[in-house]
């Protein structure tokens, strides 16, 4: 009997009538499910035209024309597998190039005499096919120790005591015999390069250009260079500069092929990396720790800084990798030495317990001057240590230093690596000549030849936008700069309830306050006398930064009648004060107080004026504005309500792989103005460049930040994205933009704004030079021809005046334009944005030499909130509490929430 549901009283529900019979002449139609709507994938837009505005100027650029003789052939891609004789896969990168070189030497005939382009790991390319789809070879290397030929090598680790000891130490490369498998993977037509030059990009064209770049890397490896992606560094002391702490700046050059409107070009530029200072290990440690002598070194720090570095040992000149330090001093550290001359009852050699010091001095007859009372270098394995006295060890050259630089080291590196335009051109010409690419057989096989002349391009110098300052005055910047001498701010604020907090013992606060009020009056800012000046007690100066800030706030709360409008904080150190982070967090996150920090050294009227620019902007004032904002007559933007968004992600320093990245978004406010912004910020997974939570729904009625950034009255959104590479453009268009659209729909389902998406790149290697002039290119120089993309919409802009070194232009990529800007109008808008940064009186650069003021605001914001992260309790940041955790992922701690009143201000100026 069929079962059925009953209602609450146990009665059966009313039965449904049976369906009507199907007529015999009718064939039932099967209901098909409605097909899912296919998502439209956005791709970077094509160029609509070139700009024409501005004064024309002839420039040179560090692109060198490449002629491709033949496009009929093919690159053949092969997968490379390397094994030891016993079948174990080879995991060290360094030995790969040597093995492949030996394969070519030994089996040249079987390989039809083909030249290889090998990436040092799994991929190998040839011009034309090898005789077979799969080749297997066995080769023998006489010596498999690394000699720093390629920048990716692993040293050979074995004992350096005597022949008997060498035999009993296991080596990473236990056998000198290697098995090599070369298997066909793909075929890439050289015609793909010509297609790329016509704007017909494909996976093949990207692969073909990658092959050419691999040829450059291999060519540099053969010359003994350290390879860092497409930058190459030779072991030449003339290229080294000491930046302190046992670290050297090493100058090399970047070299890569680029498809452009003018054809294929080779882009060569100066590049710098950091390396460990080669030479005696003890000298590096003394410099690294700023120690007086070896006996005052911190050996815990030394162990961390030395791990995995490669050394050569005297007198054998053998190379090893450091695995650690001995637990005992050299004179006390024992090890077992087999004595062939002494045998036990079983005929086996007896072991003699001996110290490392005794062994080297008495058995090896090597005199040691100072190693007896220092730990030994360990180059063995945990269960088989091999100890070498410190003074016999020297660090080999070209070992990258990947830890974060100190403030002093960064400043020293910038100072010592500056090059004026003419000097840089001379260095680049020399680098191209020394590279001798004409002798590279793989390039010759492709029919490639490279010009030695800098490419000539036509630029245009856009006029600086007219600015408005106080009293309705107009002001025209000159050479990308202006000042407020004898001028008032366009919208000065009033500072009424404020106080001074002094953590610096050496400051005359009365004089400082008097001068600040006087300078404020000259700029139109009315500053009342401060309510109080809070001096830190001598006793509190010995406390930790967190405690010092807490105690200062206890004093402030006990004496002030209410929350101040503003606090001026005097810090003891000019840069990187430990108080900065705790102080900012306390003010912005816990109390909602706008604050300005300063270090009271070299204070003059110019310094105080610059300080007041920041304070005025933070408190809601406006220092200057574009005249076209006031009119309003900004192309397109002034006609329709528009929001300008700036987006960026900052990451932890090199070597800090566990520090969360910080994503920031700023948006313009009070249309038609484009000089005021609001900011939003979140943490995300370390080193993640794409912003993964632009829209983060908390509930059906609330998004964490979108309602504060996006206003549904706007019809246009101009999105300026900083810091992404060309390989990530599709993600910006199809992931990040979708999140912005989702946020718009969340606020108003009928809101359908039109978008412009622009990416600003600063980390590229294109430079421009004035022909026959020692000066940098003028501010406002724009280039959108010859070396730009053959199809996509991109241009270079040097908005600022390069006062030091060589100007670095910003490379703008217009990925999407639903509004329909002309080339001139869009370039003029981007140029104008360089003049709206409220804390500066120059056409601003982002970081070092770039041109997007809006993104600079982003970075300033990140700097402020990023300091909060350093002072979160470690137990919280290491747990999932308050973090965002994906399955299997490491928890990402959230930043503390800012108080609403500072959230809506430009507190990040």
């Amino acid at each position: 009997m069929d079962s059925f549901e009953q209602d609450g009283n146990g009665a059966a529900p009313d039965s449904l009538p049976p369906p009507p019979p199907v007529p015999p002449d009718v064939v039932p139609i099967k209901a098909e499910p409605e097909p899912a709507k296919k998502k439209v994938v956005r791709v970077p837009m094509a160029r609509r035209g070139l700009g024409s505005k501005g004064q024309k100027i002839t420039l040179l650029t560090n692109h060198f024309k490449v002629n491709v003789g033949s496009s009929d052939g093919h690159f053949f891609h092969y997968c490379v597998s390397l094994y030891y004789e016993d079948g174990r896969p080879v995991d060290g990168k360094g030995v790969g190039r040597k093995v492949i070189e030996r394969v070519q030497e030994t089996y040249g005939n079987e390989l039809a005499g083909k030249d290889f382009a090998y990436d040092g790991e799994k991929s190998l390319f040839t011009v034309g096919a090898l005789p077979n789809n799969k080749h297997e070879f066995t080769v023998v290397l006489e010596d498999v120790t690394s000699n720093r030929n390629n920048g990716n090598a692993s040293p050979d680790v074995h004992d350096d005591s005597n022949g008997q000891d060498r035999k009993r130490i296991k080596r990473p490369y236990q056998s000198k015999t290697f098995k090599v498998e070369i298997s066909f993977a793909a075929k890439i037509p050289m015609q793909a390069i010509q297609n790329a030059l016509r704007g017909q990009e494909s996976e093949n064209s990207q692969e073909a250009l990658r092959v050419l770049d691999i040829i450059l890397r291999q060519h540099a490896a053969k010359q003994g260079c350290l390879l860092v992606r497409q930058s190459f560094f030779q072991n030449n002391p003339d290229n080294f500069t000491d930046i302190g702490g046992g670290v050297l700046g090493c100058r090399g050059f970047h070299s890569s092929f680029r498809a452009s409107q003018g054809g294929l070009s080779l882009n060569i530029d100066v590049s710098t990396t950091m390396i460990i200072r080669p030479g005696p290990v003890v000298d590096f440690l003394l410099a690294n720790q700023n120690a007086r002598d070896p006996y005052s070194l911190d050996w815990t720090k030394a162990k961390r800084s030395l791990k995995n570095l490669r050394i050569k040992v005297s007198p054998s000149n053998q190379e090893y990798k450091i695995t650690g330090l001995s637990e005992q001093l050299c004179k006390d550290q024992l090890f077992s030495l087999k004595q062939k001359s002494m045998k036990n009852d079983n005929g086996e050699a007896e072991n003699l317990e001996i110290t490392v010091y005794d062994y080297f001095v008495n058995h090896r007859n090597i005199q040691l001057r100072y190693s007896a009372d220092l730990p030994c270098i360990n180059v063995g394995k945990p269960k088989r240590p091999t100890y070498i006295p410190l003074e016999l060890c020297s660090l080999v050259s070209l070992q990258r230093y990947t830890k974060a630089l100190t403030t002093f080291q960064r400043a020293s590196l910038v100072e010592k690596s500056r090059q004026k335009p003419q000097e840089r051109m001379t260095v680049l010409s020399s680098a191209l000549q020394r590279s001798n690419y004409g002798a590279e057989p793989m390039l010759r096989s492709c029919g490639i030849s490279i010009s030695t002349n800098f490419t000539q391009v036509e630029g245009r110098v856009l006029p600086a936008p007219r600015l408005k300052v106080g009293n309705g005055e107009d002001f025209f910047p000159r050479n990308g700069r202006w000042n407020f001498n004898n001028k008032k701010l366009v919208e000065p604020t009033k500072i009424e309830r404020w106080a001074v907090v002094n953590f610096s013992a050496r400051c005359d606060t009365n004089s400082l306050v008097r001068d600040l009020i006087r300078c404020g009056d000259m700029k139109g800012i009315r500053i009342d006398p401060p309510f109080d000046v809070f001096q830190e007690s001598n006793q509190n100066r010995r406390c930790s930064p967190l405690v010092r800030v807490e105690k200062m706030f206890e004093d402030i709360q006990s004496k002030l009648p209410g929350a101040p409008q503003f606090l001026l904080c005097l810090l003891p150190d000019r840069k990187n004060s430990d108080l900065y982070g705790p102080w900012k967090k306390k003010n912005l996150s816990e109390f909602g107080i706008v604050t300005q920090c300063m270090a009271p050294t070299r204070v003059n009227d110019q310094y105080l004026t610059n300080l007041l620019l920041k304070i005025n902007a933070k408190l809601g004032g406006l220092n200057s504005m574009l005249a076209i904002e006031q009119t309003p007559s900004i192309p397109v933007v002034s006609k329709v309500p528009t929001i300008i968004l700036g987006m960026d992600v900052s990451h932890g320093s090199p070597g800090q792989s566990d520090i969360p990245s910080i994503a920031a978004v700023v948006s313009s406010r009070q249309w038609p103005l484009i000089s005021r912004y609001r900011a939003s910020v979140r943490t995300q997974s370390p080193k993640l460049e794409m912003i993964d939570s632009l829209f983060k729904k908390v509930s059906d009625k609330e998004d964490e930040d979108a309602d504060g950034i996006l206003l549904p009255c706007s019809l246009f959104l101009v999105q300026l994205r900083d810091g992404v590479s060309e390989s990530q453009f599709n993600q910006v268009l199809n992931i990040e933009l979708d999140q912005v659209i989702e946020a718009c729909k969340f606020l108003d389902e009928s809101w359908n704004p039109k978008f412009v998406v622009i990416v600003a790149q600063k980390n590229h290697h294109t430079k421009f030079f004035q022909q026959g002039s020692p000066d940098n290119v003028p501010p406002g120089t724009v280039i959108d021809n010859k070396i730009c993309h053959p199809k996509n919409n991109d241009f270079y802009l040097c908005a600022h005046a390069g006062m030091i070194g060589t100007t670095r232009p910003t490379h703008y990529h217009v990925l999407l334009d639903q509004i329909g800007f002309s080339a001139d109008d869009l370039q003029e808008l981007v140029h104008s944005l360089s003049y709206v940064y409220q804390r500066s009186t120059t056409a601003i650069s982002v970081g070092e030499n770039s041109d997007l003021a809006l993104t600079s605001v982003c970075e300033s914001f990140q700097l402020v909130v990023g300091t909060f992260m350093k002072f979160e309790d470690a137990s919280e940041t290491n747990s999932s509490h308050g973090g965002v955790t994906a399955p299997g992922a490491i928890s990402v701690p959230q930043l503390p929430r800012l108080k609403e009143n500072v959230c809506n201000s430009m507190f990040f100026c």
Side-chain angles (χ1 to χ4, degrees):
M1 181 178 178
D2 291 338
S3 63
F4 55 85
E5 280 191 45
Q6 295 181 326
D7 63 19
N9 298 319
D14 293 338
S15 300
L16 295 172
V22 178
D25 59 338
V26 174
V27 178
I29 300 174
K30 184 179 180 182
E32 296 287 345
E34 192 172 317
K37 289 185 178 179
K38 191 174 182 181
K39 185 180 182 298
V40 177
V41 177
R42 305 181 191 95
V43 295
M45 66 176 288
R47 186 187 307 278
R48 292 174 180 157
L50 301 176
S52 59
K53 286 186 178 179
Q55 181 70 40
K56 290 184 179 180
I57 182 173
T58 300
L59 303 171
L60 298 176
T61 183
N62 57 337
H63 286 239
F64 299 84
K65 185 170 180 56
V66 175
N67 292 311
V68 183
S70 171
S71 59
D72 297 333
H74 290 78
F75 292 118
F76 281 74
H77 179 195
Y78 295 88
C79 289
V80 176
S81 300
L82 304 179
Y83 303 92
Y84 295 111
E85 192 175 18
D86 60 6
R88 290 178 300 113
V90 174
D91 51 6
K93 295 179 183 177
V95 74
R97 292 192 188 277
K98 292 186 175 183
V99 171
I100 293 301
E101 284 175 15
R102 182 54 55 89
V103 167
Q104 281 186 286
E105 294 169 4
T106 310
Y107 299 98
N109 291 335
E110 288 90 332
L111 294 167
K114 289 286 183 185
D115 292 307
F116 293 166
Y118 177 50
D119 71 352
E121 298 185 36
K122 300 288 186 183
S123 291
L124 181 150
F125 299 88
T126 61
V127 177
L130 294 177
N132 300 308
N133 281 345
K134 186 170 183 178
H135 290 268
E136 295 185 0
F137 302 109
T138 299
V139 294
V140 177
L141 295 187
E142 290 75 17
D143 180 16
V144 291
T145 57
S146 169
N147 61 2
R148 179 67 278 161
N149 269 350
N150 55 70
N152 295 310
S154 299
D156 183 19
V157 181
H158 56 274
D159 186 35
D160 187 52
S161 48
N162 58 32
Q164 181 63 34
D165 288 333
R166 276 193 217 104
K167 291 176 185 175
R168 62 186 180 84
I169 295 298
K170 285 188 176 181
R171 307 174 73 165
Y173 314 133
Q174 289 183 352
S175 171
K176 295 178 183 177
T177 302
F178 296 87
K179 295 178 180 177
V180 183
E181 291 181 3
I182 300 176
S183 307
F184 173 76
K187 185 177 174 182
I188 306 162
M190 289 187 190
Q191 181 63 40
I193 298 174
Q194 298 298 333
N195 294 343
L197 299 178
R198 290 193 290 267
Q200 301 168 3
E201 285 193 321
S202 64
E203 189 174 331
N204 273 339
S205 63
Q206 293 171 359
E207 275 295 289
L209 291 174
R210 176 173 165 253
V211 174
L212 296 182
D213 283 343
I214 288 172
I215 294 172
L216 298 182
R217 282 176 57 84
Q218 176 175 273
H219 185 76
K222 289 177 180 177
Q223 295 180 336
C225 292
L226 163 67
L227 310 183
V228 183
R229 295 178 292 278
Q230 285 300 127
S231 292
F232 317 132
F233 304 90
Q234 293 181 324
N235 188 13
N236 181 353
D238 291 343
N239 296 332
F240 301 162
T241 181
D242 196 330
I243 63 171
V247 182
L248 305 180
C250 178
R251 191 178 72 188
F253 66 95
H254 165 93
S255 186
S256 64
F257 287 98
R258 306 283 298 179
S260 67
Q261 295 173 28
L264 191 65
S265 66
L266 180 69
N267 178 207
I268 295 184
D269 192 25
V270 174
S271 186
T272 303
T273 193
M274 272 60 69
I275 62 172
I276 299 289
R277 188 166 78 186
V281 170
V282 69
D283 289 352
F284 165 72
L285 292 176
L286 291 173
N288 186 249
Q289 298 187 21
N290 195 24
R292 297 185 312 275
D293 55 64
Y295 308 106
S296 56
L297 288 168
D298 181 331
W299 292 104
T300 302
K301 284 184 180 178
K303 184 177 180 179
R304 286 199 303 267
S305 59
L306 291 176
K307 190 170 177 62
N308 292 328
L309 294 180
R310 295 183 318 281
I311 57 172
K312 282 192 175 180
V313 174
S314 175
S316 69
N317 211 34
Q318 195 68 47
E319 189 174 311
Y320 307 89
K321 179 192 283 186
I322 298 175
T323 56
L325 299 175
S326 62
E327 293 182 3
Q328 305 294 324
L329 302 179
C330 184
K331 66 181 181 183
D332 301 323
Q333 182 66 56
L334 294 168
F335 75 100
S336 297
L337 179 66
K338 284 187 177 180
Q339 298 290 296
K340 271 190 172 183
S341 57
M342 300 174 60
K343 298 188 178 181
N344 58 22
D345 296 340
N346 297 325
E348 297 174 345
E350 289 192 350
N351 286 335
L352 172 67
E353 290 293 305
I354 187 173
T355 68
V356 176
Y357 181 84
D358 186 22
Y359 170 75
F360 276 89
V361 172
N362 298 319
H363 287 250
R364 297 283 301 278
N365 295 318
I366 297 174
Q367 294 303 310
L368 301 177
R369 294 180 294 112
Y370 57 82
S371 295
D373 295 308
L374 302 175
C376 302
I377 298 291
N378 183 8
V379 297
K381 294 186 177 180
K383 295 183 179 180
R384 279 181 171 267
T386 301
Y387 300 121
I388 303 170
L390 189 68
E391 66 189 85
L392 301 183
C393 304
S394 290
L395 292 161
V396 301
S397 191
L398 295 184
Q399 299 192 76
R400 288 188 71 198
Y401 180 83
T402 56
K403 297 180 176 63
L405 297 180
T406 65
T407 302
F408 173 81
Q409 287 173 325
R410 282 197 302 270
S412 178
L413 181 65
V414 170
E415 176 67 32
K416 294 178 178 179
S417 58
R418 290 169 178 161
Q419 288 178 315
K420 284 292 187 181
Q422 292 299 315
E423 181 188 357
R424 183 176 289 253
M425 290 183 73
T426 300
V427 169
L428 294 180
S429 294
S430 176
L432 180 59
Q433 185 177 5
R434 283 198 315 272
S435 296
N436 194 21
Y437 288 132
E440 171 53 51
M442 280 292 289
L443 291 180
R444 289 207 307 268
S445 299
C446 305
I448 282 181
S449 61
I450 301 168
S451 169
T452 57
N453 297 321
F454 287 78
T455 296
Q456 183 174 300
V457 297
E458 184 180 90
R460 293 172 288 112
V461 182
L462 303 179
R466 182 165 50 98
L467 301 180
K468 281 285 185 183
V469 292
N471 298 328
E473 286 187 64
D474 287 345
F475 189 74
F476 293 90
R478 297 184 61 184
N479 201 28
R481 306 175 73 85
W482 65 99
N483 61 57
F484 282 96
N485 293 343
N486 304 316
K487 292 178 176 61
K488 295 188 183 296
L489 308 183
V490 68
E491 289 184 18
T493 189
K494 295 178 182 177
I495 305 177
E496 298 169 323
R497 304 183 322 277
W498 71 292
V500 179
V501 174
N502 184 20
F503 288 102
S504 177
R506 62 178 179 269
C507 180
D508 179 356
T509 52
N510 291 331
S511 175
L512 176 65
V513 168
R514 186 173 59 251
D515 290 342
L516 188 68
I517 292 174
R518 177 177 54 80
C519 285
D521 183 62
M522 289 192 295
K523 302 304 155 202
I525 302 175
R526 198 193 81 195
I527 306 176
D528 290 348
F531 181 85
D532 205 345
V533 176
F534 296 91
Q535 305 281 0
E536 185 181 34
S537 68
N538 291 330
Q539 181 181 354
N540 288 347
R541 288 197 179 101
R542 292 190 289 272
C543 299
S544 69
L546 280 169
V547 172
R548 291 174 70 181
V549 169
E550 288 289 344
K551 288 185 178 295
M552 184 63 81
F553 257 91
E554 289 173 7
D555 193 19
I556 293 170
Q557 286 179 289
S558 68
K559 294 179 181 177
L560 288 185
Q565 176 192 12
F566 167 69
L567 288 176
L568 179 64
C569 177
L570 312 183
L571 296 174
D573 303 311
R574 188 159 178 259
K575 289 186 178 180
N576 287 347
S577 171
D578 290 338
L579 293 163
Y580 182 82
W583 175 257
K584 286 286 185 180
K585 180 182 176 183
K586 196 76 174 176
N587 280 271
L588 302 179
S589 181
E590 296 184 30
F591 288 94
I593 299 172
V594 171
T595 180
Q596 176 63 51
C597 294
M598 64 173 288
T601 57
R602 301 180 186 173
V603 175
N604 54 30
D605 282 7
Q606 182 63 54
Y607 179 93
L608 292 176
T609 297
N610 290 337
L611 197 73
L612 285 165
L613 295 181
K614 299 179 185 181
I615 295 170
N616 190 56
K618 289 180 179 184
L619 293 175
L622 202 59
N623 301 328
S624 63
M625 63 191 300
L626 298 169
I628 54 176
E629 289 182 83
Q630 198 174 57
T631 315
S633 56
I634 305 171
V636 182
V637 170
S638 291
K639 297 176 183 177
V640 180
T642 303
I643 289 177
I644 297 177
L645 295 177
M647 303 181 184
D648 195 10
V649 179
S650 68
H651 308 288
S653 300
Q656 296 179 315
S657 58
D658 57 341
I659 301 296
S661 293
I662 301 175
V665 180
V666 296
S667 72
S668 58
R669 305 176 67 198
Q670 300 179 356
W671 177 85
L673 298 185
I674 58 173
S675 292
R676 278 198 174 103
Y677 318 102
R678 186 188 187 275
S680 176
V681 69
R682 291 195 184 118
T683 54
Q684 59 184 40
S685 300
K687 307 300 181 186
L688 178 64
E689 183 56 50
M690 305 311 298
I691 302 177
D692 64 359
S693 58
L694 271 170
F695 174 71
K696 186 178 179 184
K697 190 173 174 182
V698 177
S699 67
D700 289 337
K701 295 184 179 180
E702 182 187 1
D703 163 52
E704 276 195 7
D705 284 304
D707 55 342
I709 289 287
L710 304 172
L711 305 175
C713 65
S714 299
L715 300 181
F716 292 169
L717 271 86
V718 179
Q719 179 178 328
L720 294 139
R721 181 63 162 92
D722 186 41
V724 295
S725 65
E726 292 171 36
S727 64
Q728 296 169 315
F729 286 177
N730 285 341
Q731 291 173 270
V732 172
L733 283 172
N734 296 287
I735 298 176
E736 289 189 350
L737 181 56
D738 278 354
Q739 293 182 62
V740 177
I741 293 172
E742 188 181 359
C744 296
K745 294 294 184 184
F746 178 80
L747 294 173
D748 185 342
E749 185 62 38
S750 63
W751 188 17
N752 293 301
K754 293 183 178 180
F755 288 90
V756 173
V757 180
I758 304 171
V759 168
Q761 288 181 334
K762 300 176 296 295
N763 293 325
H764 59 84
H765 291 276
T766 296
K767 301 290 189 297
F768 297 101
F769 310 91
Q770 290 199 64
Q771 196 165 13
S773 170
D775 298 328
N776 270 305
V777 297
T781 298
V782 63
I783 299 96
D784 60 3
N785 62 86
K786 200 77 171 273
I787 62 160
C788 291
H789 195 278
K791 177 186 176 184
N792 295 350
N793 191 357
D794 66 328
F795 62 93
Y796 293 88
L797 176 64
C798 306
H800 60 286
M803 307 303 290
I804 302 170
T806 304
T807 298
R808 179 192 300 179
T810 299
H811 191 185
Y812 292 99
H813 301 261
V814 185
L815 304 187
L816 177 70
D817 179 9
Q818 297 175 336
I819 296 174
F821 277 98
S822 69
D824 281 323
D825 284 349
L826 194 58
Q827 291 166 12
E828 186 178 345
L829 173 63
V830 173
H831 184 223
S832 296
L833 284 171
S834 303
Y835 286 79
V836 301
Y837 193 33
Q838 291 298 300
R839 62 183 283 175
S840 175
T841 56
T842 64
I844 196 63
S845 59
V846 184
E848 179 187 328
N849 296 341
S850 76
D851 315 291
L852 192 56
L854 193 58
T855 312
S856 280
V857 176
C858 238
E859 292 191 344
S860 299
F861 183 71
Q862 291 166 328
L863 178 64
V864 171
V865 295
T867 58
F868 291 172
M869 301 299 299
K870 301 176 185 176
F871 302 96
E872 292 297 293
D873 183 78
S875 62
E876 290 186 7
T877 57
N878 290 333
S879 71
S880 60
H881 175 68
V884 181
T885 311
I890 299 172
S891 172
V892 178
Q894 293 180 348
L895 291 168
R897 271 201 171 279
L898 305 181
K899 290 292 184 181
E900 189 63 27
N901 58 318
V902 294
C903 230
N904 291 318
S905 73
M906 289 177 64
F907 70 91
F908 41 80
C909 276

